[in-house]
Amino acid sequence: MEKATFAGGCFWCMVQPFDEQPGIHSIISGYTGGSVQDPTYKQVKTGETGHYEAVQIVFEPDVFPYQKLLDLFWVQIDPTDAGGQFQDRGDQYRTAIFYHTEEQKQLAEQSKQHLEDSKRFAKPIVTDILPADTFFPAEEEHQDFYKKERKAYKEDRKQSGRDEFIEENWNN
């Protein structure tokens, strides 16, 4: 088993796409990259702790390789938006790939460069590639939110503009 950590804006929207794949053993919503030890959702939401909302994925690389995780990550986000994602604004909603190994770092950098070279977006790709830091699981009510609070999740996702962006920029 290996770990992968991705920040793609609101962590509620980053669970389902990975959760539906073979070889994924767990996905935890949480916080990483900030200065406060064991932060709460309320603290992170202020944007003052330096944390990213993120998901940490435990996966079986022989079944679902890291490269496929990267490919799936990119199509969930707007990699050109440095101010957050969709309706969620602020540093806590920035995008980043947090690598756990040198191989993950190399694959992430190659993947980002490939996306930049593709000219799919007119603006530069601003998603950071950073070393994995301490990961703090979010409170229980945020885990598997899309399953536990289906109606609220669907409404929030619909209002966010994420699906429209994905359809316009990735599904063509």
Side-chain angles (χ1 to χ4, degrees):
M1 299 294 175
E2 291 185 21
K3 285 183 184 174
T5 305
F6 300 115
C10 173
F11 51 33
W12 293 346
C13 292
M14 293 301 293
V15 175
Q16 184 178 11
F18 296 101
D19 202 24
E20 298 173 343
Q21 305 304 319
I24 304 299
H25 286 263
S26 66
I27 304 171
I28 300 170
S29 296
Y31 320 109
T32 192
S35 60
V36 174
Q37 289 296 309
D38 203 18
T40 65
Y41 181 73
K42 187 175 180 179
Q43 288 173 309
V44 172
K45 194 171 173 100
T46 67
E48 296 174 9
T49 68
H51 289 88
Y52 293 74
E53 280 197 15
V55 292
Q56 190 161 84
I57 302 166
V58 175
F59 67 103
E60 198 171 335
D62 293 341
V63 177
F64 206 85
Y66 186 72
Q67 183 63 56
K68 285 181 76 173
L69 289 171
L70 288 169
D71 294 344
L72 187 55
F73 166 74
W74 289 116
V75 300
Q76 306 308 314
I77 65 168
D78 175 354
T80 68
D81 189 346
Q85 287 291 285
F86 314 107
Q87 73 177 357
D88 296 311
R89 311 312 302 159
D91 285 351
Q92 67 274 31
Y93 299 115
R94 292 169 293 163
T95 61
I97 298 167
F98 294 92
Y99 59 87
H100 293 265
T101 66
E102 281 302 308
E103 180 184 17
Q104 284 186 359
K105 179 183 179 182
Q106 290 173 357
L107 289 169
E109 288 173 346
Q110 289 169 2
S111 180
K112 181 178 177 178
Q113 188 62 53
H114 178 73
L115 180 57
E116 188 78 52
D117 292 346
S118 76
K119 304 292 185 208
R120 178 180 289 270
F121 297 98
K123 296 189 275 185
I125 306 304
V126 297
T127 299
D128 289 323
I129 299 171
L130 303 167
D133 198 356
T134 304
F135 185 87
F136 301 98
E139 297 82 348
E140 183 56 37
E141 65 262 25
H142 299 292
Q143 305 303 329
D144 294 318
F145 188 81
Y146 84 97
K147 291 178 183 176
K148 294 190 288 193
E149 299 290 341
R150 290 184 192 276
K151 186 176 180 182
Y153 169 75
K154 285 181 181 180
E155 187 60 34
D156 186 71
R157 188 166 174 120
K158 182 179 178 183
Q159 289 178 358
S160 76
R162 185 182 294 260
D163 291 333
E164 290 83 4
F165 180 88
I166 291 170
E167 184 64 36
E168 280 181 34
N169 292 279
W170 294 109
N171 290 343
N172 52 23

